[in-house]
Amino acid sequence: MSTFPRAGFIRRVASLIYDALVVIAFAMLTTIAFLGVVQSMLSLGWYSLGGHEDVSALIQATPALYYSRSALLILVAVLFFAYFWTKSGQTIGMRAWRLKVQNTDGSLLSWPQAILRSLTALLGVGNLLVLIDVKHKRALQDLVCQTEVLILTKEENKKVYDSLD
């Protein structure tokens, strides 16, 4: 058990809002790249606009393209969180709010564990469980993956950030 207190609902959500903005930016870049790939496939003759007015309409009307784009966007979000959780235990939003996710033994998450944690967070809805589990402050993703989210001191937060150099 850590000497730092576990994070409550408000801090977790505030951190998630920060991270959501970053994920949205990555999603926009991914969408631009995806549109470029589809446009290239149109240029190569692999697809045709048919009766669709533009590439976006084609994607919306073509299940393979639509679901590929959706899966790609989910993958980008999952990889964003998993990368930061496995590297330092902190996403950009978590760093701003001095939060750190770790295993209950204090170690960093593994890639499979971070991916599972990201998926079981259910777009942040898993954090609602913190409101019920007031004593232990565990979200659904914490229970499933045996993790905890801690509130770091300013000094400890700086140490985590400095250790990345």
Side-chain angles (χ1 to χ4, degrees):
M1 180 88 181
S2 174
T3 58
F4 298 106
R6 288 187 173 164
F9 180 75
I10 298 297
R11 270 188 115 97
R12 287 172 181 252
V13 171
S15 166
L16 186 59
I17 290 169
Y18 272 58
D19 288 330
L21 295 172
V22 178
V23 170
I24 288 168
F26 278 121
M28 290 172 152
L29 292 172
T30 302
T31 300
I32 290 168
F34 187 78
L35 289 170
V37 168
V38 173
Q39 186 62 52
S40 297
M41 291 190 307
L42 286 168
S43 297
L44 293 169
W46 295 354
Y47 273 98
S48 129
L49 277 180
H52 305 292
E53 60 190 48
D54 58 20
V55 175
S56 294
L58 173 67
I59 292 169
Q60 293 295 324
T62 309
L65 293 175
Y66 180 80
Y67 291 116
S68 295
R69 184 200 61 192
S70 299
L72 186 60
L73 293 175
I74 291 168
L75 180 65
V76 165
V78 167
L79 290 178
F80 169 82
F81 287 99
Y83 171 78
F84 283 104
W85 290 340
T86 59
K87 184 174 172 84
S88 66
Q90 291 183 305
T91 60
I92 296 164
M94 293 174 84
R95 187 170 297 146
W97 284 91
R98 297 190 344 250
L99 301 179
K100 181 181 179 186
V101 64
Q102 63 183 22
N103 288 308
T104 53
D105 67 4
S107 63
L108 290 175
L109 281 61
S110 67
W111 270 94
Q113 186 181 25
I115 290 168
L116 179 62
R117 188 176 195 283
S118 182
L119 293 171
T120 57
L122 307 172
L123 299 173
V125 175
N127 287 317
L128 290 173
L129 192 56
V130 174
L131 296 172
I132 297 168
D133 186 10
V134 183
K135 182 177 178 183
H136 300 295
K137 296 183 181 174
R138 293 175 298 193
L140 175 63
Q141 59 270 24
D142 294 321
L143 291 171
V144 170
C145 297
Q146 298 300 306
T147 59
E148 59 186 357
V149 178
L150 306 176
I151 302 172
L152 302 178
T153 62
K154 288 180 181 178
E155 294 78 26
E156 190 64 28
N157 198 45
K158 185 172 177 4
K159 283 182 193 175
V160 172
Y161 184 73
D162 290 342
S163 72
L164 298 175
D165 294 337

